[in-house]
Amino acid sequence: MNNALVQNTKYRRDIMRALALFTFTGGLLFCTLNFIRGLYFLAALELAYSLFSIFLWFIIPKTPHLSRWILWYIIPFFIVMMFALSLPATSDAIFVWVLTIPLLAYLLLGRRLGFWVSLIFIFLGIIAYHLRFIDSSHSFSLNAAISINITLSALLVMIIAHVYELNRDKNENRLIELAGTDQLTGLPNRMKLDTSFQHISSLAKRHKIDFTLILIDIDFFKSINDQYGHDVGDEALCYIANFLNKNVRESDFLARFGGEEFALFITSTEPNQANQHIENIREMLSQSPFLNGDITINITLSAGLATYGKDGTNLESLLKKADERLYQAKHNGRNCIVFD
């Protein structure tokens, strides 16, 4: 998930760098033309914006404040458009640039903020166009046709941009969900575990609540694969995953850590209570054999616990401590829990 978010940020950085370079070049060109035409204030704005754009081109690749810089780029850019459209000496061809507003807003700001920015500036652009270019000497039908064409073309571009961004969001979220899901068991995987830890640890720190990390290992699982084959082993893993998932609270987080290991975050519970909870699960699992046709397999688990704060404040240290205690549980004969 983190990789997906990084990729999404890189995509916006690449667009911003391309736009900054384009704006720098185009701004210098229009600055020169408008200076020749005597539009000195507009030429000065375009020159200033060109210099700002080349400044952005250098800082965009590394800045941690990408969204802030995007806003500082895009809002003045649209304001300059509106200003140029309202000047008496400009032509109606400048409205073509207004049609780029939804595309830029949605690509750089996302669906929600992009919608509102697009709506505001498209509305202002249409108003400015009507005030500047609708000629009262023309017939009502001609003015109506021009007005409808301008309005519908602007709205069409905005609708297309909105639908595209909506579907892109859905597809990206789906890919992120798939990337964070174990294909065999349907549980979250190690990547999702890392992301969830950031969220849970932030809540624990902010609200001063306890949470415990538990590493769970299925005892002698290799012998199931060796004796009955990997197909039965996979079905046994799915059975165990469903059993664990049904017996943890909705507020807890269960993931397949890898192989026959699972990781569980138990939140808002003291370590002793977390130990008792996993002890109850261990006992219930030992009394719930896995049935596959004529095959009956007794399954037990071993687990090691680590407490946030006492045993560490980052995932690596908690995993290390929980793994040490899991190893101790196996050394003690398996089918047991070690939490201290």
Side-chain angles (χ1 to χ4, degrees):
M1 185 171 183
N2 287 336
N3 290 337
L5 292 176
V6 168
Q7 181 63 32
N8 181 270
T9 300
K10 184 180 183 304
Y11 148 78
R12 295 184 190 277
R13 290 181 195 273
D14 289 344
I15 292 176
M16 267 302 303
R17 290 201 90 199
L19 280 172
L21 192 60
F22 179 81
T23 307
F24 172 71
T25 307
L28 289 181
L29 176 63
F30 281 111
C31 169
T32 304
L33 291 174
N34 287 321
F35 185 82
I36 294 171
R37 297 170 63 198
L39 300 174
Y40 301 121
F41 186 68
L42 180 58
L45 285 177
E46 289 166 340
L47 177 60
Y49 205 71
S50 294
L51 297 176
F52 176 62
S53 297
I54 202 63
F55 167 74
L56 282 181
W57 189 85
F58 285 106
I59 69 166
I60 283 298
K62 296 181 179 179
T63 178
H65 307 295
L66 180 62
S67 297
R68 186 183 305 169
W69 283 112
I70 288 175
L71 281 172
W72 286 352
Y73 166 85
I74 206 167
I75 299 302
F77 185 44
F78 294 164
I79 290 174
V80 170
M81 279 189 200
M82 299 300 107
F83 177 72
L85 189 61
S86 67
L87 290 177
T90 55
S91 71
D92 58 355
I94 199 169
F95 190 79
V96 173
W97 290 99
V98 176
L99 297 179
T100 66
I101 288 174
L103 299 177
L104 296 178
Y106 275 97
L107 283 172
L108 293 174
L109 300 175
R111 180 163 50 91
R112 291 180 178 83
L113 186 54
F115 169 79
W116 290 109
V117 170
S118 297
L119 188 64
I120 291 169
F121 282 101
I122 284 290
F123 176 76
L124 292 175
I126 291 172
I127 294 296
Y129 183 91
H130 279 71
L131 292 175
R132 280 273 292 107
F133 301 110
I134 295 296
D135 193 340
S136 58
S137 64
H138 293 159
S139 65
F140 172 79
S141 59
L142 178 58
N143 281 334
I146 294 172
S147 178
I148 291 171
N149 274 307
I150 289 297
T151 303
L152 289 183
S153 62
L155 292 178
L156 178 61
V157 173
M158 182 174 173
I159 290 169
I160 291 172
H162 186 83
V163 171
Y164 169 81
E165 190 66 19
L166 179 64
N167 282 280
R168 192 193 65 79
D169 270 355
K170 288 181 179 178
N171 290 334
E172 184 177 271
N173 290 335
R174 178 60 179 160
L175 288 173
I176 290 173
E177 181 183 346
L178 288 173
T181 302
D182 176 61
Q183 293 184 353
L184 177 63
T185 64
L187 292 177
N189 60 18
R190 172 62 191 269
M191 186 176 74
K192 191 67 176 288
L193 179 74
D194 294 345
T195 305
S196 296
F197 173 80
Q198 301 301 325
H199 175 68
I200 294 171
S201 61
S202 295
L203 289 177
K205 188 180 298 183
R206 185 180 309 122
H207 300 291
K208 301 187 185 306
I209 58 176
D210 294 315
F211 85 85
T212 303
L213 168 64
I214 304 172
L215 275 186
I216 301 167
D217 185 80
I218 306 306
D219 296 330
F220 302 110
F221 187 80
K222 185 177 182 298
S223 65
I224 297 177
N225 283 328
D226 292 342
Q227 185 173 353
Y228 302 106
H230 287 281
D231 289 344
V232 174
D234 287 348
E235 291 183 29
L237 269 178
C238 291
Y239 169 79
I240 295 163
N242 289 331
F243 181 90
L244 294 173
N245 203 32
K246 288 178 181 177
N247 288 284
V248 298
R249 304 171 307 174
E250 290 187 7
S251 59
D252 298 335
F253 179 84
L254 175 68
R256 185 183 179 191
F257 192 67
E260 65 272 18
E261 285 191 332
F262 298 85
L264 173 64
F265 289 133
I266 295 183
T267 60
S268 303
T269 302
E270 294 180 355
N272 287 337
Q273 294 174 320
N275 176 63
Q276 185 58 53
H277 183 55
I278 194 64
E279 178 65 32
N280 293 339
I281 291 176
R282 181 201 63 77
E283 187 174 345
M284 287 188 292
L285 180 62
S286 67
Q287 297 172 5
S288 305
F290 168 62
L291 306 177
N292 185 280
D294 297 331
I295 300 171
T296 300
I297 303 175
N298 293 312
I299 297 174
T300 62
L301 65 80
S302 301
L305 282 68
T307 304
Y308 179 77
K310 176 183 176 183
D311 295 317
T313 56
N314 58 65
L315 184 57
E316 290 72 21
S317 59
L318 290 176
L319 285 172
K320 181 179 179 181
K321 182 58 69 174
D323 191 55
E324 290 174 0
R325 290 169 179 165
L326 173 59
Y327 179 82
Q328 184 63 44
K330 292 178 182 180
H331 183 74
N332 291 348
R334 293 182 167 83
N335 193 24
C336 64
I337 313 295
V338 173
F339 78 103
D340 203 352

